Amino acid sequence: MSTAIVTGQPVPGSSLEGELRELGFDVRLAPDAADARAALAAVPGDQRVAVVDAGFVGHVHALRLGLTDPRFAASAVPGAVSAQPAARQALNRAVTENGIAPDAVAKSLEAAGTPVHRPVLGELVAAVPHDPQARNEARQRVAAVDDEAIRLRTAVKARDGFFTTHCVSPYSRYIARWCARRGLTPNQVTTASLLTALIAAGCAATGTRPGFVAAGLLLLFSFVLDCTDGQLARYSLQYSTLGAWLDATFDRAKEYAYYAGLALGAANANGDDVWALALGAMVLQTCRHVVDFSFNEANHDADANTSPTAALSDKLDSVGWTVWVRRMIVLPIGERWALIAIFTALTTPRITFWVLLVGCALAACYTTAGRLLRSLTRKARRTDRAAEALAELADSGPLAQAIARVGKGAAAPVVAALGGAAVVTTSAFTGFGSGWPVLAAAVYCVTSGLAVARPLKGALDWLVPPIFRASEYLTILVLAARADVNGALPAAFGLVAAVAYHHYDTVYRIRGDAGAPPRWLVRAIGGHEGRTLVVTAVAALLTSTDFTVALTALAVLVALVVLAESIRFWVSAGAPAVHDEGEPA
């Protein structure tokens, strides 16, 4: 239970106490400073406490934004301040030193070094009038604005794709409100979205036309629920560490499980083997995301973060229709899932995958070209934090790290690309069982170490992590395809999915300022270069059938180790809540 201490003399006719109780606070009245300090001391240190001026006039949603958001240790609006356990000691000192006026307490917290979140209220009213006329005017402003309409509107992300904005959000926000009024949590809606997508994958796996139609419809409904969970979190301010993990990982799990369902459906329908296409779609989509993540981390806090390309982009944003066209071109999750659903229902899995691959490839070319132009024309100095984030995204294992300690790095993207191209092309153009891919993988280990031997602060060094992802994933794909035996490509699909989960997990930890996964985990699963070397060695030493078994065993091992550590982290008290705004593309 959270506690709200209402300071000062009660105002006749005020509904403040009822509004605070509506928000879940246990209300205690403190007419003077001594009463306020005594009430504050009586609240257990592990509970949230709010200090609110008895003369406060404003919308309930303004109080909700200022006092109940779990993402911030301290937050405030005019006339009210709130502190979670992490900021309780600082709040106690501020009250002791500066009295009980909430605005003075908030300023004292900031002066002492405690960050105080101040939400943007917009049309919402939050004020402490000091005379009857001002109070009457404030109440009139409150009556003139429908805070529930604002609450619904702000539950929707300000920036989203065309399909989501115009085809889902106009009604999904009301589903979110319906869920909130019935006590449903965002985590429950997220889980429902996952289950719906898994059922859709199961329908696709039947290989029948009714199954494909049902799969497409269920995939769209899963996306509606996917939008609803974030809107519910924003509508009711229900953010949690577990929700961060669920939201950050379930989108990928849903999409890639659906790919697997389509591949099974193609086999059950007419024996068509599209596992290579399914794995190719997963590789392309994951690499697209890594490009986005790496570029954003590289430029997260860069100095002189401007370029002619960025200026042109900003200029285009001022032309309304170009905004939507550019958002659609990148094929974000809404457009992508709608495309998959429509082609699943109307065509075959093979056609669906080819359309998806072409669309994602064009989107990748568009976004990557723009990022390259920005990087080459931008006069920016990247920070140590950015270089550290890129090094963590690289996922370098013991072999690359050992080489990095003794090598001298230069032209990191070029060196990484040469090594990756060597191992992928050698695996693709030599017979299965050849030792040449093993030699190429050894070269890849060396180039991987050289690529990260110096801090990744170059203009194009953000390309290093996506190059590593593409090299590892494509090597697994081409070796499984060259094995030419039933089960090899599904096993490779499972292995890439397990490794991709680890890479997404790393991204979301970095975005939450929690750092990368522990080094022991990276060492345990070998790093990208170690796994590539192991897969090529297994392909050289084993028969095609045994290679399939080995890939399956490796996929299970990686998945168990990665999931166990990931779950431990995300349910811990120190995990960040990073699920608020969804994914880039």
Side-chain angles (χ1 to χ4, degrees):
M1 170 71 75
S2 300
T3 300
I5 300 172
V6 179
T7 63
Q9 295 299 322
V11 176
S14 173
S15 59
L16 179 60
E17 290 182 42
E19 292 169 349
L20 290 171
R21 290 191 174 95
E22 178 185 336
L23 295 177
F25 285 97
D26 176 26
V27 179
R28 302 181 186 181
L29 303 182
D32 56 40
D35 292 333
R37 284 191 287 269
L40 186 60
V43 179
D46 61 348
Q47 292 184 10
R48 174 194 289 271
V49 66
V51 179
V52 185
D53 195 303
F56 177 89
V57 175
H59 289 100
V60 176
H61 192 48
L63 287 173
R64 181 182 290 107
L65 291 173
L67 304 182
T68 68
D69 196 323
R71 296 172 296 175
F72 308 102
S75 55
V77 292
V81 63
S82 172
Q84 295 205 73
R88 280 292 304 277
Q89 290 186 356
L91 178 69
N92 293 341
R93 287 194 301 270
V95 169
T96 301
E97 296 171 0
N98 296 276
I100 59 174
D103 292 344
V105 171
K107 291 180 181 178
S108 178
L109 286 171
E110 291 177 317
T114 300
V116 177
H117 171 65
R118 298 181 183 272
V120 178
L121 297 180
E123 300 175 73
L124 296 174
V125 177
V128 182
H130 296 292
D131 59 71
Q133 181 179 350
R135 178 173 298 280
N136 184 56
E137 292 174 353
R139 286 175 173 170
Q140 290 177 355
R141 295 202 309 273
V142 170
V145 176
D146 184 354
D147 69 335
E148 177 60 21
I150 292 176
R151 188 182 178 191
L152 268 176
R153 186 174 71 245
T154 55
V156 178
K157 285 191 294 185
R159 179 183 175 89
D160 220 329
F162 180 88
F163 179 79
T164 304
T165 299
H166 296 286
C167 301
V168 177
S169 291
Y171 57 88
S172 62
R173 70 186 74 182
Y174 295 101
I175 300 176
R177 182 172 65 180
W178 183 90
C179 292
R181 291 178 174 177
R182 283 152 184 81
L184 296 177
T185 67
N187 293 350
Q188 291 170 329
V189 177
T190 301
T191 303
S193 176
L194 173 67
L195 294 175
T196 303
L198 293 178
I199 295 172
C203 291
T206 63
T208 63
R209 181 52 52 193
F212 288 145
V213 172
L217 293 174
L218 287 170
L219 185 65
L220 289 176
F221 182 58
S222 175
F223 180 68
V224 172
L225 293 177
D226 183 58
C227 295
T228 301
D229 64 358
Q231 292 165 2
L232 175 58
R234 288 182 286 273
Y235 180 84
S236 57
L237 298 184
Q238 295 184 73
Y239 303 108
S240 68
T241 54
L242 178 60
W245 175 64
L246 295 177
D247 190 72
T249 57
F250 276 15
D251 279 353
R252 304 286 73 75
K254 289 181 288 189
E255 186 166 357
Y256 298 159
Y258 192 84
Y259 291 175
L262 278 179
L264 289 171
N268 289 331
N270 54 17
D272 191 12
D273 186 353
V274 297
W275 277 104
L277 296 177
L279 181 50
M282 180 166 66
V283 169
L284 178 56
Q285 189 58 34
T286 303
C287 289
R288 283 185 65 204
H289 284 141
V290 177
V291 167
D292 291 332
F293 296 140
S294 295
F295 179 81
N296 291 334
E297 287 301 323
N299 296 281
H300 178 73
D301 48 6
D303 297 330
N305 196 13
T306 58
S307 73
T309 308
L312 175 60
S313 178
D314 293 338
K315 186 175 181 179
L316 288 174
D317 281 342
S318 65
V319 183
W321 64 270
T322 66
V323 174
W324 293 118
V325 171
R326 292 166 65 212
R327 290 186 191 178
M328 293 174 67
I329 288 175
V330 301
L331 208 63
I333 186 171
E335 277 77 355
R336 191 169 66 250
W337 283 26
L339 185 74
I340 295 170
I342 292 171
F343 277 88
T344 296
L346 301 180
T347 66
T348 65
R350 179 172 290 274
I351 293 175
T352 301
F353 279 126
W354 274 116
V355 171
L356 179 63
L357 284 166
V358 171
C360 287
L362 293 175
C365 291
Y366 171 78
T367 55
T368 304
R371 284 162 170 74
L372 288 171
L373 287 173
R374 290 193 183 201
S375 299
L376 293 172
T377 58
R378 173 182 288 152
K379 304 299 183 182
R381 185 175 68 253
R382 294 197 167 87
T383 63
D384 292 337
R385 178 202 175 277
E388 181 181 356
L390 291 178
E392 291 169 342
L393 288 173
D395 191 33
S396 299
L399 295 175
Q401 287 292 328
I403 294 168
R405 284 192 289 269
V406 299
K408 293 183 178 180
V414 176
V415 173
L418 289 175
V423 68
V424 173
T425 55
T426 303
S427 300
F429 293 106
T430 58
F432 183 82
S434 168
W436 287 109
V438 181
L439 179 60
V443 172
Y444 176 67
C445 291
V446 174
T447 58
S448 297
L450 294 176
V452 297
R454 60 171 178 79
L456 298 175
K457 293 185 177 181
L460 298 179
D461 284 359
W462 57 269
L463 286 169
V464 171
I467 289 172
F468 286 162
R469 298 296 81 79
S471 301
E472 179 185 2
Y473 298 167
L474 289 175
T475 299
I476 296 172
L477 189 159
V478 297
L479 286 174
R482 297 289 287 176
D484 196 25
V485 63
N486 287 337
L489 281 167
F493 188 96
L495 176 57
V496 172
V499 174
Y501 174 87
H502 166 61
H503 292 143
Y504 279 111
D505 188 52
T506 301
V507 164
Y508 283 101
R509 295 194 200 201
I510 293 173
R511 285 177 58 181
D513 291 325
R519 286 301 306 169
W520 71 260
L521 176 65
V522 178
R523 289 193 295 267
I525 60 176
H528 69 94
E529 82 289 350
R531 290 187 298 270
T532 303
L533 183 61
V534 167
V535 171
T536 56
V538 169
L541 296 173
L542 301 180
T543 64
S544 296
T545 302
D546 291 339
F547 174 69
T548 300
V549 175
L551 280 185
T552 303
L554 186 58
V556 172
L557 177 63
V558 171
L560 289 176
V561 174
V562 167
L563 281 172
E565 201 286 324
S566 177
I567 293 172
R568 179 210 62 78
F569 171 79
W570 285 103
V571 299
S572 71
V578 297
H579 65 332
D580 187 24
E581 295 307 321
E583 54 116 47

